[in-house]
Amino acid sequence: MHDRPHVPRAKRSKLGVYWRGGVAWIQFRGERFSLKTRDPVAAELEAQRIHRKAADPTYAAASEKAFGAVAESWLSFTPTDGNRRKPPTPETVEMYGYHIGHLARLLGAALPIADLDAVAVDGYVRARREETIGKAETKHVSARTVDKELGTLRQILRFALRRGWYHRPLEAVLPESAGGTYEPLNRWLPLDGVRLLLATLPAARAATCAYIVATNADWCAVERAERYDLGTAKLCNRTVLVRGTKNPKRWRDVPVLPVFGELLE
């Protein structure tokens, strides 16, 4: 705030912006304060934000909420968000956490949710796609991966919209899809190739791969597996308990074909 005399209207823009020592100031509702910029365009944009915040309660509420805080608030409500029938699995929640980490890192956790627009999202997509993954750092983040992260962002913004913290139409902010249609790999190892792979891998890694091949288990089920889950050693009727959690049917006893039983020995 500043207590200098009133600035004549002729020296102010329509939004109340004027200049002093090369720095933009604004006179608004009888008060004067610095906009802390020397850029005319930035000064007018900030002035627009000030006027809109004063005129629009929804925008004012949103301007007080940082993206990081909104994302964490949404994450805490995911078990019942949208009156969902059942909560997401721990693995899904963990995935959301990874997505939020990338979003907050590149968008900025302190970014006011009201300022999250299409320009910010497009910048996020570009920056994320330019990042590399793996130790060799030769492979870039895929469009499919970014598409999943934008799916999480959509849920966060939908949550913020319902809470009155966001005001923009989602279809004007988020692209329909950044990754296109998912196309799974269509190649596989023959059994002889599996045996060769297991013989090449360290013992612990070979055991993990053998378990996955023999039972068609996902990685999370592997992490939950116990030694006694392997059941009887008679290969003709061996079953393996697979501790899946995504739905009730994923926790099941899986029969092991004799041709795969040898992999578990």
Side-chain angles (χ1 to χ4, degrees):
M1 300 297 175
H2 205 278
D3 57 1
R4 290 190 176 184
H6 174 79
V7 179
R9 183 178 296 275
K11 295 184 178 181
R12 290 180 272 135
S13 71
K14 292 181 179 180
L15 295 176
V17 177
Y18 63 97
W19 298 84
R20 175 173 293 145
V23 177
W25 286 64
I26 187 172
Q27 180 165 307
F28 180 68
R29 294 187 173 179
E31 298 178 343
R32 293 170 295 282
F33 45 91
S34 173
L35 297 179
K36 300 179 180 179
T37 181
R38 295 176 180 272
D39 185 338
V41 174
E44 287 298 311
L45 289 175
E46 179 63 13
Q48 291 175 16
R49 189 191 69 80
I50 291 170
H51 280 264
R52 185 172 185 179
K53 182 178 178 180
D56 186 346
T58 300
Y59 186 88
S63 68
E64 301 300 326
K65 290 288 185 178
F67 170 74
V70 173
E72 292 299 327
S73 181
W74 168 77
L75 192 60
S76 70
F77 275 91
T78 51
T80 57
D81 186 39
N83 196 28
R84 62 194 309 162
R85 185 168 58 88
K86 60 181 181 179
T89 65
E91 294 77 22
T92 299
V93 174
E94 184 178 23
M95 177 193 70
Y96 288 151
Y98 288 133
H99 291 173
I100 290 173
H102 290 302
L103 290 163
R105 175 173 58 84
L106 294 177
L107 291 173
L111 174 72
I113 195 74
D115 294 342
L116 208 166
D117 56 10
V119 175
V121 172
D122 290 345
Y124 174 83
V125 172
R126 171 178 290 183
R128 192 77 174 100
R129 292 292 303 279
E130 289 177 348
E131 293 185 332
T132 55
I133 57 177
K135 294 181 178 179
E137 296 187 349
T138 57
K139 184 178 180 181
H140 288 270
V141 175
S142 70
R144 180 65 180 173
T145 296
V146 176
D147 203 36
K148 293 178 181 179
E149 294 165 1
L150 293 181
T152 297
L153 178 60
R154 183 181 297 275
Q155 294 187 68
I156 294 170
L157 294 182
R158 188 181 294 123
F159 170 78
L161 190 64
R162 290 180 53 245
R163 290 295 183 94
W165 301 334
Y166 197 63
H167 62 283
R168 301 176 189 270
L170 299 187
E171 63 273 13
V173 175
L174 298 170
E176 291 186 6
S177 174
T181 303
Y182 173 63
E183 296 181 4
L185 296 176
N186 58 4
R187 64 179 186 270
W188 58 89
L189 282 176
L191 187 57
D192 288 342
V194 173
R195 293 192 183 102
L196 181 60
L197 173 64
L198 297 182
T200 304
L201 292 173
R205 181 59 61 86
T208 299
C209 289
Y211 181 86
I212 292 173
V213 171
T215 65
N216 195 31
D218 57 33
W219 178 251
C220 293
V222 172
E223 292 182 321
R224 287 187 291 269
E226 302 287 347
R227 183 176 296 276
Y228 57 79
D229 292 344
L230 294 178
T232 177
K234 294 180 180 180
L235 300 182
C236 60
N237 62 354
R238 166 174 283 180
T239 61
V240 175
L241 174 62
V242 176
R243 300 169 179 264
T245 61
K246 193 169 185 63
N247 59 62
K249 294 182 179 180
R250 293 293 291 175
W251 188 291
R252 68 206 189 281
D253 289 307
V254 177
V256 179
L257 296 175
V259 68
F260 292 131
E262 65 178 85
L263 302 179
L264 298 176
E265 294 301 306

